Amino acid sequence: GTPAEDCYWKPASSYLPRVSLASLRVGDRLRSVRLEKKYDLLTGRTGPKIFFDCGVCRTDKDGKPQIVHGMMRLGGRDGGISRAKKIARLFGTGRELDLYVTA
C-alpha cells in the first residue's frame, strides 16, 4: 500500500510511515505487533478476538489521520475462554508477526 501522510508507527527501533487503508488490497501482507492484553476481547459476543497494531491509518472527514488496528478471531462463540487464552498466549505481546488483509 501507499504511505499515509503525517501518520507513523514504531514497530521496532525506528519510526515508519503507516500505510493508507484505502490503498490496501485483499492478500497484502502487513507487519504487525500485538497490542497489550488489556485490549483483548476474549468474551466478545461473536467470539474471542485479539488485536494488533499493523501500521495502517485512515483519514477522517476533517483530514485527521486515524489509526486502524488489525483483529484476529480465535474461534467460534462456543470455544470457551480458557481455550481462547491458550491460543492468545501463542501471540506474545510486542512480538512482530505478519498479518494478511482479508475481506
Side-chain angles (χ1 to χ4, degrees):
T2 57
E5 293 182 24
D6 300 328
C7 197
Y8 296 90
W9 74 306
K10 188 176 181 179
S13 59
S14 61
Y15 284 93
L16 300 171
R18 288 183 180 271
V19 176
S20 172
L21 180 64
S23 69
L24 291 177
R25 302 284 176 247
V26 173
D28 285 352
R29 184 177 68 175
L30 300 171
R31 204 164 93 189
S32 66
V33 177
R34 181 171 169 209
L35 295 176
E36 297 175 23
K37 290 181 182 182
K38 68 181 180 180
Y39 297 108
D40 291 352
L41 192 56
L42 299 179
T43 57
R45 190 179 63 182
T46 59
K49 307 165 193 69
I50 56 176
F51 294 88
F52 296 85
D53 187 352
C54 50
V56 177
C57 163
R58 68 177 177 86
T59 306
D60 66 9
K61 63 181 180 179
D62 298 326
K64 296 179 195 169
Q66 302 288 320
I67 295 172
V68 176
H69 294 301
M71 176 188 74
M72 180 185 288
R73 292 185 183 275
L74 300 179
R77 296 179 194 170
D78 55 354
I81 193 165
S82 63
R83 179 178 172 269
K85 283 182 181 179
K86 287 177 187 175
I87 295 171
R89 205 175 305 137
L90 298 173
F91 302 97
T93 305
R95 197 176 108 205
E96 284 191 35
L97 300 165
D98 287 337
L99 295 183
Y100 293 87
V101 177
T102 59

